[in-house]
Amino acid sequence: MSPYVQIPYALPTALLALALALKFSTLVRAWRDPDVRATTLLLTWATAVLVVITPVNIDRLNRLTGVPNIASPWAYSFLTAFCATGLTMIMRWREEPSERRRRRIRRIYWIYAGIVVGLWVTFLPADVPEPRIYDLDTYYASTPWMREHILLYLSAHMVSSLVSAWMLWKWFPEVGNRWLKTGVVLLQLGNASGLLFDAAKLTAIGARWSGGDLDFLSTRAAPPFALLEAILVALGFITPQAGPFLIRWFRDQRDYRRLRPLWRAVRVLGPAAAPARFGFLAPLDLRLLQRQQRIHDALRLLGPYYDHGLYRRVYTAAAGRYPEARARGIAGAVVLQTAIDAFRRRAPHSVGAGPAQIGADVSDHLDAISQAFVHPRRLDRIRRRVTSTESANAHA
């Protein structure tokens, strides 16, 4: 069996398996959330379908079990479970939690569970001794019991695609969230691919019944639509959850990275209490929160050593050469570095003036201040220039 035949199946299978692996940690943390459970199940069924229908796995399953074509009820059972989970997820999106919604979801699960049972009931008595990897549906299209087996999975899949498309079409004008709208569009494209898959399969089977031969529709035209459907539907359900998460992750990653120079500058100060330590594998939002807290703790320690007058002079000097935000960052960085040096010498800026605090000039511009710490030589030059000018004025 050519390895090139496996590539179209391997790529989407790997993508879905990766999405499932990434979703697993969320399932562990929030397994009580029905949406999280449903999304995880959907990815599980989609991945299982693609794993089973890969030609090499069909052949392997037939050999391991000794039952010709046993991959058929397995693959179609997973496909049916995938359809049921997709329908119920759309219902969870569209409708508020209610007893009516719970009854409808429960009814769908029972109906599709019955279809799964029907798939096995129709397969077991079927006489299918010849293993067929690529053309099972058309080869056995007229075989008793196997004919019903094939029509049962195709009918269940087609009905779920039509019902899903109808519900999404009715709901689309009401969707305002851009991520949810994107998910709905992907789902509609996935349903369209699923219906094209069904149409190609049914046309090929109908041709067999009438004595014709359109097997290429089943063996060549239909499989790409099935693969595309699995990917689009999975993406459609993942996007509304993954989109906002990725936006927050990239924002937190940016903030975490941009605060690093300031964090490195102030970490020489002893913390007021032993800080909790988060490893690299800890969630990014917790590591960002710890970094922000460490910086704010340091600002409180530096309060008595902070020179507000120096800040104003440095800002005035920098404002003539740099934009507002950058001048604020340079001024804050110069004065914080001066305060850190004074802290090391235990030389407060003012004694007996009460508890000093660092105000909004610094706390509202931490990002710009942190970026200014990237260029320590520039800060030293500006500080020397300001202090030398101040010294010259004092002796004049």
Side-chain angles (χ1 to χ4, degrees):
M1 192 174 298
S2 172
Y4 298 104
V5 176
Q6 319 304 323
I7 293 176
Y9 296 88
L11 293 178
T13 304
L15 290 174
L16 286 173
L18 177 62
L20 180 60
L22 294 175
K23 194 69 180 175
F24 185 75
S25 60
T26 305
L27 175 67
V28 172
R29 293 196 306 268
W31 66 273
R32 293 181 181 274
D33 188 333
D35 290 341
V36 172
R37 291 201 305 269
T39 306
T40 307
L41 279 175
L42 185 97
L43 290 172
T44 301
W45 303 141
T47 305
V49 170
L50 294 184
V51 168
V52 175
I53 68 171
T54 302
V56 67
N57 289 334
I58 293 176
D59 182 63
R60 185 177 293 130
L61 194 57
N62 289 337
R63 293 176 182 276
L64 288 176
T65 61
V67 179
N69 303 304
I70 189 65
S72 175
W74 277 112
Y76 299 155
S77 295
F78 289 134
L79 178 63
T80 302
F82 174 78
C83 294
T85 309
L87 278 174
T88 57
M89 285 227 20
I90 294 173
M91 293 172 62
R92 293 180 194 279
W93 282 3
R94 293 180 69 230
E95 304 174 24
E96 294 294 327
S98 64
E99 184 59 34
R100 178 175 176 271
R101 192 188 76 170
R102 281 193 293 272
R103 285 198 304 269
R104 293 177 64 197
I105 289 176
R106 198 178 301 119
R107 190 179 303 124
I108 287 174
Y109 281 136
W110 278 111
I111 290 172
Y112 277 81
I115 293 171
V116 171
V117 172
L119 288 171
W120 287 92
V121 168
T122 52
F123 175 79
L124 292 176
D127 184 19
V128 285
E130 178 67 24
R132 308 301 300 184
I133 295 178
Y134 300 101
D135 61 347
L136 174 77
D137 294 342
T138 50
Y139 188 84
Y140 290 113
S142 300
T143 301
W145 293 107
M146 196 61 184
R147 173 184 54 220
E148 288 75 17
H149 175 83
I150 296 167
L151 290 177
L152 182 59
Y153 97 82
L154 284 174
S155 300
H157 180 260
M158 184 169 57
V159 168
S160 72
S161 297
L162 287 171
V163 172
S164 297
W166 177 81
M167 288 196 297
L168 293 169
W169 180 265
K170 297 283 288 184
W171 185 44
F172 184 78
E174 305 172 16
V175 180
N177 182 282
R178 65 188 178 106
W179 290 108
L180 187 56
K181 191 179 286 287
T182 301
V184 171
V185 171
L186 290 170
L187 287 174
Q188 287 290 53
L189 293 174
N191 288 323
S193 297
L195 289 173
L196 290 173
F197 167 83
D198 295 328
K201 286 283 186 179
L202 289 171
T203 302
I205 291 170
R208 277 283 185 150
W209 289 346
S210 60
D213 184 356
L214 295 177
D215 288 8
F216 74 93
L217 290 176
S218 177
T219 57
R220 296 183 179 275
F225 289 120
L227 297 175
L228 187 61
E229 178 195 13
I231 295 172
L232 289 172
V233 171
L235 285 175
F237 284 118
I238 293 172
T239 297
Q241 300 176 46
F245 169 79
L246 289 175
I247 292 295
R248 289 193 302 271
W249 188 88
F250 281 115
R251 184 188 62 229
D252 290 348
Q253 183 69 32
R254 179 201 62 195
D255 294 344
Y256 186 78
R257 185 179 65 253
R258 290 174 72 88
L259 286 176
R260 186 171 186 267
L262 177 56
W263 169 76
R264 293 187 66 182
V266 302
R267 69 179 178 177
V268 298
L269 308 177
R277 294 187 177 273
F278 297 118
F280 180 75
L281 297 179
L284 178 61
D285 54 347
L286 290 181
R287 289 186 282 132
L288 174 62
L289 180 63
Q290 185 190 44
R291 180 162 288 185
Q292 292 170 333
Q293 187 61 49
R294 182 71 183 88
I295 291 172
H296 285 289
D297 287 345
L299 294 183
R300 284 194 292 271
L301 291 174
L302 291 174
Y305 305 88
Y306 185 81
D307 186 345
H308 291 274
L310 179 60
Y311 177 89
R312 289 190 294 271
R313 292 190 297 274
V314 175
Y315 172 70
T316 301
R321 301 182 59 188
Y322 302 104
E324 165 77 11
R326 195 170 178 184
R328 294 279 184 191
I330 291 172
V334 167
V335 182
L336 283 182
Q337 186 60 61
T338 303
I340 291 170
D341 294 341
F343 178 89
R344 287 169 167 170
R345 300 193 307 270
R346 294 296 187 266
H349 175 64
S350 58
V351 180
Q357 292 184 348
I358 296 179
D361 287 340
V362 170
S363 60
D364 289 352
H365 301 279
L366 293 179
D367 188 80
I369 292 171
S370 184
Q371 294 308 296
F373 269 108
V374 175
H375 306 285
R377 293 181 180 177
R378 178 188 298 163
L379 299 182
D380 289 339
R381 287 197 304 270
I382 293 174
R383 180 164 62 171
R384 286 196 301 268
R385 185 166 63 247
V386 170
T387 54
S388 61
T389 301
E390 178 184 347
S391 178
N393 291 337
H395 287 87

